């Protein structure tokens, strides 16, 4: 009996040491897979819309609601045709990572759109007529709903920004496909660390082949 108890204690110790590591690795793999899939689907939607429309009229984007782009006709008639989204009615609450302090109070959104894999776009809007930003939550309403944990930023940016038309040929993780055009000096550990805002985290993950360190 004593030998059995000793064996069970050893198994318990090993489990206590290894299970958290295995769970952390699983979450990393899940996050990487979801980010890579969303990037691929978004890029494909842009390409298919380009084939159909050739280019997007800037005036159409400028008339859209800056905080609820998926509800705009411009989006529905172009990229939205190839990226199915379903608007939800529930409020979505999120926050910055507060481990380093200075994160402020949680925020609440009501323009949330779910994807068919359980992930969600919690915020999508336009910056002027040349950039669209997207906050993407890999697991939708499930916790933790914190930047750099399960919320990541993507960007659609104009490549050919002519006076009357736009070619949407840049899709990237991060806040700017132009300013973050290279991967030199990027590190997922530092870019996604506690207390750092979301701007550079998804860019660093993209630079790392959509893998987390």
């Amino acid at each position: 009996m004593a030998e059995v108890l000793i064996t069970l204690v050893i198994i318990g110790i090993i489990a206590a040491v290894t299970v958290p590591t295995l769970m952390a690795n699983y979450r990393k793999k899940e996050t990487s897979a979801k980010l890579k899939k969303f990037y691929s689907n978004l890029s494909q939607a842009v390409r298919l819309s380009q084939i159909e429309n050739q280019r997007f009229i800037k005036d159409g984007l400028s008339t859209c609601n800056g905080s609820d782009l998926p509800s705009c006709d411009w989006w529905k008639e172009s990229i939205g045709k190839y990226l199915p989204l379903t608007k939800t009615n529930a409020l979505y609450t999120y926050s910055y990572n507060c481990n380093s302090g200075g994160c402020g109070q949680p925020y609440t959104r009501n323009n949330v759109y779910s994807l068919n894999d359980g992930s969600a776009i919690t915020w999508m809007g336009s910056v002027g007529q040349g950039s669209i930003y997207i906050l993407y939550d890999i697991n939708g309403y499930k916790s933790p709903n914190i930047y750099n944990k399960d919320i990541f930023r993507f960007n659609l940016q104009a490549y050919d920004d002519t006076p009357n038309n736009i070619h949407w040929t840049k899709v990237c993780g991060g806040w700017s496909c132009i300013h973050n055009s290279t991967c030199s000096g990027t590190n997922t550990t530092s870019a996604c660390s506690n207390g750092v805002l979301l701007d550079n985290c998804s860019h660093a993950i993209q630079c790392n082949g959509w893998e987390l360190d």
Side-chain angles (χ1 to χ4, degrees), residues 28-41:
K28 285 183 178 181
K29 292 296 183 183
E30 182 182 36
T31 299
S32 297
K34 284 289 187 70
L35 292 176
K36 187 175 183 178
K37 178 182 178 182
F38 179 70
Y39 172 78
S40 177
N41 290 342

Side-chain angles (χ1 to χ4, degrees), residues 58-80:
K58 290 176 66 176
D59 289 343
L61 179 58
S62 65
T63 60
C64 292
N65 184 331
S67 63
D68 190 19
L69 185 59
S71 67
C72 179
D73 288 340
W74 182 91
W75 174 266
K76 293 178 182 178
E77 294 169 0
S78 56
I79 302 170

Side-chain angles (χ1 to χ4, degrees), residues 31-56:
T31 299
S32 297
K34 284 289 187 70
L35 292 176
K36 187 175 183 178
K37 178 182 178 182
F38 179 70
Y39 172 78
S40 177
N41 290 342
L42 180 60
S43 299
Q44 183 180 28
V46 172
R47 287 194 297 270
L48 291 173
S49 185
Q50 285 176 324
I51 292 172
E52 179 181 359
N53 297 299
Q54 298 302 314
R55 56 176 59 201
F56 306 112

